[in-house]
Amino acid sequence: MAGGIKLFRILGIQISLDYTWFIVFVLFAWSLAYGYFPFHSPGLGAGMYLLMGTISSLLLFVCVLIHELSHSYTANRLGLSIQEITLFIFGGVANLTKEPDDAIVELKIALAGPLASGALAIGFWLIRALIDAELYPVPYAIAGFLVTINIVLLVFNMIPGFPLDGGRVLRAIWWYSTGDINRATRVASQIGKGFAIFLIVTGFLQILVGNFTGGLWSVLIGVFLQQAAEGSYRQLIIKRTLEGIRVRDVMTKNVVTIDGSLSLSRAVEDYFFNYHFVSFPVVDNGRVVGMLSLNNVRSIERDRWQSTLVRDVMEGLTTENVLSPEDTVIDALTRMSSMGVGRFPVVEGGRLVGILSRRDIMKVMEFRTELQGWA
Ligand SMILES: [Zn+2]
């Protein structure tokens, strides 16, 4: 998942916005202002429609937030820790540090969001019933939109394709009745992908027959869903395969180190050419002080390799680029991906005890995947 913009914290949960949110927000406000509201409450000015579109899109954001918080609040109460939710315009992705290991827990978490959307739809329906449509056409129209959009959120999320809530419900029921979570996940995400393709195809057909806006939305949501189904399935596999494994269990213990006082030309000749690793821990007086990577070497002109010392161009150690043997492999992999680094030194009490590479993690994954029949 790409990062987003951190907004605020509610109930101990960090709320972030995905970057795509802004684009879709503008598109959505625009299509409300030029399509939905002029059709449903004619006779108002263009400026008023724009205002209604903007306010309604913001309120949609609040409704989506309440939907997502219901999932997260339930999850936290059932013992799964959720620290961050990233919101897209029609939904969010909660960062589960751990997958539920009980089908009933999964079912309760999955149903909490749609229940909240249902309650919101009823709430706005009651509010609308109290508003005089003749006197207050604008609040009346906005309340009506919120009834519709919450029903849409409810119905859309209950489509039985993973990672939508309905897909999670299907997965939980399948899992509960067969005990096979792997197969349950695979089936649910295949249905999710199938539905995404259906949306994309019907979207293009709609565009062909002239319904441009409706078709475009269908394609956009289909693409989003397709990526979500693909991505969350892969993530789930990675999480479940690597769950509980610590850096200590998979790191390479015999580490080739470079002395900080060597020249770069010696480092290249004796280490990079010899061992074919992309980086080496650097040791000074028996203590690990940094990492020397091919990129560090490349940043120096070749005719200066003779006169440059390893310790002068290496990457110094920070809390970010060092692992402890007790760190989880999932955490290490997340850091590797976000920092674009392939190898981390493993240090305990200032002493180098091993090195962990992406390749080490992939090997473990492959091995476990074969044993568990994931692939
Ligand atoms: Zn949901």
Side-chain angles (χ1 to χ4, degrees):
M1 284 292 148
I5 293 163
K6 292 194 189 318
L7 283 188
F8 45 78
R9 299 183 73 88
I10 296 186
L11 303 169
I13 300 163
Q14 173 68 51
I15 310 295
S16 304
L17 278 189
D18 186 75
Y19 293 116
T20 56
W21 187 91
F22 294 94
I23 305 165
V24 186
F25 179 87
V26 171
L27 266 175
F28 195 73
W30 182 83
S31 63
L32 286 181
Y34 290 93
Y36 180 88
F37 283 123
F39 179 77
H40 284 272
S41 38
L44 300 167
M48 183 53 89
Y49 287 133
L50 206 57
L51 185 69
M52 289 164 83
T54 310
I55 291 174
S56 302
S57 301
L58 283 173
L59 288 172
L60 163 65
F61 165 72
V62 174
C63 291
V64 167
L65 183 61
I66 292 172
H67 175 113
E68 292 307 322
L69 278 173
S70 308
H71 286 303
S72 304
Y73 180 69
T74 313
N76 282 340
R77 270 197 28 204
L78 295 173
L80 295 162
S81 123
I82 291 179
Q83 270 130 26
E84 184 173 11
I85 306 176
T86 306
L87 289 171
F88 300 84
I89 193 107
F90 297 114
V93 174
N95 275 333
L96 274 173
T97 43
K98 201 171 132 237
E99 283 291 323
D101 31 46
D102 177 355
I104 299 300
V105 169
E106 162 107 321
L107 187 66
K108 285 180 183 165
I109 298 172
L111 286 174
L115 279 175
S117 294
L120 283 167
I122 295 171
F124 286 116
W125 183 78
L126 287 172
I127 290 173
R128 193 183 63 153
L130 295 173
I131 299 173
D132 187 328
E134 296 287 309
L135 279 176
Y136 307 105
V138 171
Y140 183 83
I142 293 178
F145 161 76
L146 290 169
V147 173
T148 311
I149 200 70
N150 277 295
I151 293 173
V152 170
L153 284 177
L154 169 67
V155 172
F156 181 74
N157 276 293
M158 283 310 288
I159 289 162
F162 195 78
L164 293 173
D165 300 334
R168 288 190 173 270
V169 170
L170 173 73
R171 182 173 84 133
I173 294 171
W174 192 301
W175 177 12
Y176 185 76
S177 47
T178 65
D180 187 349
I181 184 188
N182 299 353
R183 199 167 151 64
T185 307
R186 196 157 55 222
V187 170
S189 58
Q190 268 160 4
I191 296 176
K193 269 190 264 180
F195 179 66
I197 291 166
F198 170 77
L199 279 180
I200 295 170
V201 171
T202 50
F204 276 121
L205 289 178
Q206 275 178 287
I207 291 172
L208 281 181
V209 299
N211 180 6
F212 186 75
T213 320
L216 187 65
W217 279 117
S218 191
V219 172
L220 276 178
I221 294 169
V223 169
F224 172 75
L225 199 60
Q226 150 79 24
Q227 283 174 347
E230 191 79 49
S232 58
Y233 180 59
R234 203 176 319 126
Q235 242 188 349
L236 194 83
I237 292 178
I238 293 176
K239 271 190 188 157
R240 288 190 58 85
T241 356
L242 295 180
E243 195 152 50
I245 309 179
R246 309 232 162 240
V247 168
R248 182 190 296 289
D249 308 325
V250 287
M251 67 186 189
T252 304
K253 292 189 184 87
N254 296 321
V255 189
V256 182
T257 58
I258 299 186
D259 199 285
S261 61
L262 282 188
S263 71
L264 274 192
S265 46
R266 281 284 305 280
V268 171
E269 292 279 318
D270 298 352
Y271 291 88
F272 285 98
F273 283 168
N274 233 340
Y275 297 100
H276 308 124
F277 293 133
V278 290
S279 61
F280 294 87
V282 179
V283 175
D284 243 342
N285 295 321
R287 290 182 78 84
V288 54
V289 290
M291 287 290 283
L292 182 75
S293 69
L294 260 184
N295 283 337
N296 298 142
V297 177
R298 272 198 216 110
S299 70
I300 305 293
E301 305 265 341
R302 189 179 280 267
D303 51 5
R304 289 179 50 218
W305 284 3
Q306 195 73 38
S307 57
T308 309
L309 298 186
V310 165
R311 67 163 77 96
D312 297 328
V313 290
M314 69 179 191
E315 206 76 56
L317 296 188
T318 65
T319 49
E320 284 293 291
N321 62 13
V322 172
L323 294 172
S324 142
E326 293 310 311
D327 285 340
T328 64
V329 169
I330 294 176
D331 180 41
L333 187 63
T334 314
R335 267 199 266 168
M336 280 178 187
S337 318
S338 69
M339 293 171 67
V341 173
R343 274 157 65 91
F344 276 134
V346 184
V347 176
E348 195 172 32
R351 221 167 44 84
L352 183 74
V353 291
I355 192 152
L356 183 73
S357 67
R358 210 184 292 242
R359 204 184 306 164
D360 294 330
I361 301 176
M362 291 308 145
K363 253 190 285 178
V364 175
M365 277 203 46
E366 239 168 70
F367 188 68
R368 290 209 156 197
T369 307
E370 267 169 39
L371 281 183
Q372 295 173 343
W374 264 108

